[in-house]
Amino acid sequence: MPLINSISGLRGTIPDSLTPEIVIQYANAFVKFTGVGGTIVIGHDGRPSGEWICNILEGTLQALGSKVISIGMAPTPTVQLATEKSDSVGGISVSASHNPAQWNGLKFLNSDGIFLDKDECNTFWSFLDSNLDYVNFNEYNKLLDEKHWTTKHIFEALSLNFVDLELIEKRNFKVVVDAVNASGSFIVPKLLETCGCEVIRLYCEGNGEFPHTPEPISENLNELSKAVIKNNANFGIAVDPDADRLVLIDENGEPIGEEYTITIAIDFILAYYKSLMKKDLSCAINLSTTRAVEDIAKRYGAVVYRTPVGEINVAKKMKEVGSVIGGEGSGGVILPELHFGRDSIAGIIIILNALARDGRSLSKLRESMPHYFISKKKITVTDKNNLSDIIIKIKEVENDGEINTDDGLRIAFNNSWVHLRGSNTEPIIRVIAEAPTPEAAEKLALKYVDMFS
């Protein structure tokens, strides 16, 4: 597979596309981008290739005059938190997110601990062909080993204003955790146990060996669902390798749907800030996130902002308008009170508080949310320009829906929508549709898939 380079970072397969030479090239460009002599935070998601990539990154950055803070195996949101809270000029999370084990990648962060935006990426990429300017033998900066950042992450989450630890402890939650043996393996159980939960660990070895396809979608979580039922647990938690996405399984072993992670989280946070009489409430989500969020926002008189897909796009909008919460429907919760990045730890602490205060089961809490169904399709392509041609044709004939072309094409109807866009990380076009019934969502998605045949 070729290297995939986007605002989501760099991804490639090993050993054919992501090579040591590529790692050095990007490390050099990042030093040029952030400034020679600055401090750069590095962490990895646990997959075995992450260790040698980190070793190359650390050595190269030192040789180029940078100071390096190595936080070891850690979620991407922990790397983001460490970058923001330390005196750093940037950070690099070594992860290919939900991609299979043969993949790895580099996610680049600015000094605020958020992903590079389009303009920053263009400046960064302009340095890719620049010379390697090594410092003298006696000018190397030290490598700082700071493995405490996962503990710091938990402390920061528990210190959030809305957290009621005593109320959570009274519920005596039993939780099954599937961290696919990656970066969530220790931090997620530790957070739960600190909150008084009984934790059943499923694939929390931290050895980077994925026991199943690592993307936390329902078809990959059968063992987690069975473990929840077998152990009579209150709910199950699944995170992806770099633990920025949170997916929940209810007490009946049923996935509540990754879109409802963000829906429940937004409902809880908007209710909390409404109780504090905060004015001008808003949240931000991407164009592919469930319309249930808009229904929830109406309950609290809050404004919903939609952005192109990509964590940085949502985070920038949240900063711009002062949103109290945001995220993406893949299970990515962004809570600015903690930091501006998708974070399963933020999601978990919100869900624990929501369940504790609601008093009901996860399935009942899910039932209290607006009901919609999403159908997702993928179209493998060799040329994403095909999407532009299709968009032109659709716009010529579409009369009923509200059209948005900020990111591909999104058409919103009275109670449904469809979104067509090229993936940032894979050579595919995604077709996502949402409607009040599964059948209507499937029919809507297939209508637009057929346009590519």
Side-chain angles (χ1 to χ4, degrees):
M1 289 291 295
L3 281 171
I4 297 175
N5 196 14
S6 71
I7 61 170
S8 299
L10 177 74
R11 296 189 196 187
T13 52
I14 296 171
D16 53 311
S17 61
L18 187 61
T19 63
E21 292 81 6
I22 292 292
V23 174
I24 292 170
Q25 180 185 20
Y26 275 80
N28 178 52
F30 198 57
V31 170
K32 296 286 199 306
F33 172 73
T34 56
V36 176
T39 300
I40 296 174
V41 177
I42 295 178
H44 65 93
D45 70 8
R47 59 185 84 207
S49 58
E51 290 191 10
W52 68 256
I53 293 174
C54 281
N55 288 339
I56 292 172
L57 279 174
E58 290 163 1
T60 302
L61 294 173
Q62 285 181 281
L64 292 168
S66 296
K67 183 185 294 183
V68 179
I69 295 176
S70 175
I71 70 172
M73 185 180 74
T76 291
T78 307
V79 181
Q80 292 178 286
L81 184 74
T83 303
E84 178 186 337
K85 301 292 184 181
S86 63
D87 184 22
S88 302
V89 295
I92 305 173
S93 178
V94 179
S95 174
S97 192
H98 62 270
N99 288 78
Q102 69 269 29
W103 288 78
N104 215 327
L106 307 176
K107 295 184 175 183
F108 298 95
L109 311 170
N110 65 21
S111 59
D112 293 327
I114 63 176
F115 291 117
L116 308 185
D117 63 23
K118 184 177 180 180
D119 291 338
E120 289 173 318
C121 281
N122 286 334
T123 302
F124 168 41
W125 295 333
S126 72
F127 294 116
L128 286 174
D129 295 325
S130 59
N131 293 329
L132 290 155
D133 299 318
Y134 297 120
V135 298
N136 292 327
F137 74 94
N138 59 348
E139 295 178 339
Y140 295 141
N141 281 311
K142 290 185 178 180
L143 173 68
L144 304 178
D145 189 0
E146 298 188 4
K147 301 298 192 295
H148 67 276
W149 279 101
T150 50
T151 300
K152 171 74 169 173
H153 196 166
I154 292 172
F155 173 79
E156 293 284 340
L158 294 176
S159 300
L160 294 166
N161 290 327
F162 62 79
V163 172
D164 190 334
L165 199 54
E166 183 178 350
L167 189 62
I168 296 171
E169 290 173 343
K170 286 180 180 178
R171 287 295 303 269
N172 294 313
F173 291 121
K174 182 188 290 187
V175 188
V176 184
V177 177
D178 179 356
V180 288
N181 292 329
S183 67
S185 294
F186 307 120
I187 187 173
V188 172
K190 186 176 180 180
L191 171 67
L192 291 165
E193 289 173 342
T194 305
C195 292
C197 302
E198 178 185 348
V199 178
I200 293 93
R201 290 165 170 79
L202 180 68
Y203 305 129
C204 294
E205 298 299 320
N207 56 21
E209 297 178 4
F210 301 155
H212 55 75
T213 304
E215 186 170 11
I217 53 179
S218 57
E219 53 261 42
N220 299 330
L221 302 176
N222 292 329
E223 290 182 79
L224 176 58
S225 294
K226 291 176 182 177
V228 168
I229 296 171
K230 177 182 177 182
N231 290 281
N232 195 29
N234 295 99
F235 59 97
I237 284 175
V239 295
D240 62 336
D242 68 335
D244 60 353
R245 293 169 58 181
L246 170 65
V247 173
L248 301 167
I249 306 294
D250 71 20
E251 73 280 5
N252 302 311
E254 295 294 327
I256 71 166
E258 57 263 41
E259 297 286 337
Y260 282 87
T261 301
I262 188 66
T263 302
I264 293 172
I266 286 178
D267 178 65
F268 176 82
I269 293 298
L270 289 181
Y272 169 74
Y273 279 104
K274 189 73 172 180
S275 71
L276 299 180
M277 307 298 289
K278 180 176 173 60
K279 298 186 182 301
D280 300 322
L281 281 175
S282 73
C283 57
I285 54 176
N286 71 31
L287 288 165
S288 287
T289 298
T290 177
R291 62 177 287 131
V293 170
E294 288 157 330
D295 292 350
I296 291 294
K298 288 180 183 177
R299 297 178 182 177
Y300 306 103
V303 176
V304 177
Y305 294 94
R306 284 192 179 267
T307 75
V309 173
E311 179 179 322
I312 178 57
N313 297 316
V314 180
K316 283 186 69 176
K317 177 58 71 172
M318 292 175 69
K319 278 196 164 192
E320 175 191 334
V321 301
S323 294
V324 294
I325 189 169
E328 300 189 290
S330 57
V333 176
I334 302 176
L335 186 67
E337 190 182 344
L338 185 58
H339 69 98
F340 277 96
R342 295 189 311 183
D343 189 350
S344 66
I345 299 303
I348 290 167
I349 200 64
I350 292 172
I351 295 299
L352 287 173
N353 279 273
L355 286 169
R357 294 191 185 185
D358 184 80
R360 294 177 294 176
S361 65
L362 179 58
S363 66
K364 294 299 182 183
L365 182 58
R366 161 66 178 87
E367 286 176 10
S368 71
M369 300 293 124
H371 285 211
Y372 294 99
F373 299 87
I374 285 183
S375 176
K376 297 182 179 182
K377 306 296 180 185
K378 295 180 182 180
I379 304 168
T380 301
V381 294
T382 55
D383 183 1
K384 291 182 187 176
N385 289 330
N386 293 341
L387 179 58
S388 300
D389 297 334
I390 292 292
I391 288 175
I392 292 172
K393 293 177 182 178
I394 293 173
K395 288 175 67 177
E396 289 175 350
V397 299
E398 185 57 65
N399 297 315
D400 297 331
E402 179 183 336
I403 290 178
N404 183 305
T405 55
D406 291 342
D407 182 10
L409 174 67
R410 185 180 191 269
I411 309 173
F413 305 100
N414 287 335
N415 60 0
S416 61
W417 55 265
V418 63
H419 189 196
L420 294 80
R421 60 178 297 273
S423 170
N424 287 330
T425 57
E426 300 174 75
I428 60 173
I429 289 173
R430 300 185 188 277
V431 180
I432 305 173
E434 183 177 49
T437 67
E439 295 79 13
E442 182 78 0
K443 182 178 179 180
L444 186 59
L446 290 175
K447 172 184 174 182
Y448 290 90
V449 168
D450 288 345
M451 294 184 180
F452 288 88
S453 59

